Amino acid sequence: MAASTLYIGLMSGTSLDGVDGVLADFSGRGIRTLDAAFAPFPAELRAELMALQAASANELEREALAANALAHCYAECVQALLAKAPGPVRAVAVHGQTIRHRPELGFTRQTNNPALLAELTGVDVIADFRSRDVAAGGQGAPLVPAFHEARFGKRGQVRVVVNIGGIGNISVLHGDGRIGGYDTGPGNVLMDLWIARHLGKPYDEDGAWAASGRVDNALLHTLLDEPFFRQPPPKSTGRDLFHADWLDARLSRHPGLAPADVQATLTRLTAVSIADAIRQETGGQAPHAVYVCGGGAYNAMLLRDIAAALGGKVPVASTETLGVAPNRVEALAFAWLGYRFMRRQPGNLPAVTGAAGLRVLGALYPA
């Protein structure tokens, strides 16, 4: 009997809001999304995952317990999708929750308990996708450009897919087989931090608060002076760099700014850093279109800022235009990476991550 072509992909990103899951079919009729589910993080788990981003007391035990709680959230999402599956699911591909990303030191850490997830769901689990690329000298990120090419690439068109979660990253699909990409810097992470601090909200819905303020160009210049933005690719980043202390140190040079003006400037920072990266990767050539996924795709102010930063001549739309809802793209990408793993096909792109060569990514935990 032929192996099932149904896979579940799970992604919980740097925004720390919860688990996005997709049920995908790789039967040869393209990459199809059959259904999706979302499991929000309980407040206490989100707080603990946030705290584990930095060194703290008893963190080994606390991480292990958080991984167990995380596995239960993943299982909730998986069970919702299993109930909708038209047949047996071959495997669950799970990213885990990044709590440290230090490829320059030779490691990246996505906390997870895939063994427990296999026990809770009765389905094979594939996890730990990034560490093999790091072991091969790569950044371990971004891993989505190969998937973006498979799902969104079009021969003869230069398309850019921008994923804006906590961190932003781009995939430049040149239309001739070449694929480029890397992390651009903060996506939503600083905007979310700032609005949570001042308004007690988890995110700036539709960019409304940013739209009420004015960009402070002096602050924007200070923020863009971060060496990461000038670092040549391959490169990746995370909360290890872009966090509250990073922002507060730079704000201290610009006292007295209205909070809404800071939010507007942080939104512009994300847009400008993305636009600069696109220009660098395309050699200044305007792409045919830019497609945005991740939570940032729902921020209308941010999309307007990206379009403006690109000169107003490049169409900027969400991946919904290409048939995949923005909040499903990353989970679908990891379902695809799980499918690749089961076929022992590589999932990384050395030109993107800097790894020594193509590698099969992931580790299997049989049910």
Side-chain angles (χ1 to χ4, degrees):
M1 186 173 65
S4 172
T5 58
L6 301 179
Y7 286 74
I8 288 173
L10 301 177
M11 181 66 191
S12 53
T14 47
S15 293
L16 290 169
D17 53 350
V19 185
D20 287 301
V22 298
L23 175 65
D25 184 11
F26 301 100
S27 61
R29 290 174 288 174
I31 300 170
R32 296 193 300 143
T33 305
L34 302 185
D35 221 312
F38 177 75
F41 286 156
E44 59 274 17
L45 175 59
R46 185 180 192 277
E48 183 69 330
L49 291 171
M50 185 72 76
L52 287 167
Q53 303 287 322
S56 53
N58 198 29
E59 61 182 332
L60 287 178
E61 180 174 328
R62 288 168 52 210
E63 186 205 343
L65 293 175
N68 289 348
L70 189 61
H72 282 274
C73 283
Y74 288 151
E76 177 186 340
C77 200
V78 170
Q79 296 294 355
L81 292 169
L82 288 175
K84 302 171 182 178
V89 168
R90 179 68 184 89
V92 173
V94 56
H95 172 262
Q97 186 65 50
T98 300
I99 58 170
R100 297 286 200 287
H101 184 66
R102 299 298 301 275
E104 75 279 9
L105 297 179
F107 78 92
T108 184
R109 178 72 176 179
Q110 285 72 47
T111 193
N112 192 5
N113 190 338
L116 178 57
L117 182 59
E119 288 290 332
L120 292 171
T121 62
V123 181
D124 286 0
V125 172
I126 308 161
D128 192 23
F129 286 94
R130 298 192 186 274
S131 63
R132 183 62 189 275
D133 185 86
V134 173
Q139 292 284 311
L143 295 182
V144 290
F147 165 75
H148 287 161
E149 171 66 19
R151 180 59 182 82
F152 302 128
K154 185 173 182 180
R155 195 76 182 172
Q157 285 195 5
V158 180
R159 292 180 167 185
V160 179
V161 181
V162 182
N163 177 64
I164 308 177
I167 298 298
N169 60 69
I170 60 168
S171 299
V172 179
L173 316 176
H174 289 275
D176 58 5
R178 292 179 298 131
I179 306 167
Y182 50 88
D183 285 357
T184 59
N188 300 313
V189 60
L190 299 178
M191 293 184 283
D192 290 353
L193 181 159
W194 192 248
I195 197 170
R197 180 184 293 182
H198 288 274
L199 300 185
K201 296 181 178 180
Y203 59 93
D204 187 4
E205 186 172 358
D206 218 22
W209 193 38
S212 74
R214 298 177 63 183
V215 172
D216 185 278
N217 288 318
L219 174 59
L220 180 62
H221 178 78
T222 296
L223 297 172
L224 285 168
D225 196 41
E226 162 59 45
F228 175 82
F229 296 122
R230 298 188 297 275
Q231 180 183 329
K235 60 181 180 178
S236 59
T237 190
R239 289 181 184 269
D240 304 83
L241 174 58
F242 294 106
H243 47 59
D245 290 345
W246 182 92
L247 177 59
D248 290 340
R250 285 148 183 82
L251 285 173
S252 68
R253 306 177 207 170
H254 304 272
L257 292 178
D261 292 349
V262 174
Q263 186 74 358
T265 308
L266 294 175
T267 304
R268 184 68 56 84
L269 170 68
T270 293
V272 169
S273 57
I274 287 169
D276 286 348
I278 291 171
R279 277 190 289 269
Q280 178 178 335
E281 189 62 33
T282 60
Q285 175 189 358
H288 287 85
V290 171
Y291 299 98
V292 184
C293 58
Y298 299 98
N299 184 329
M301 179 68 189
L302 178 57
L303 265 59
R304 289 195 296 270
D305 269 6
I306 293 171
L310 289 169
K313 298 179 180 179
V314 179
V316 177
S318 90
T319 53
E320 189 82 59
T321 308
L322 299 178
V324 184
N327 60 345
R328 298 181 180 182
V329 172
E330 276 205 296
L332 183 58
F334 279 90
W336 182 81
L337 286 169
Y339 169 72
R340 300 279 293 183
F341 171 88
M342 285 300 198
R343 294 164 64 91
R344 298 303 185 265
Q345 295 174 330
N348 67 332
L349 291 175
V352 169
T353 67
L358 295 169
R359 298 291 187 268
V360 176
L361 306 179
L364 176 63
Y365 293 76

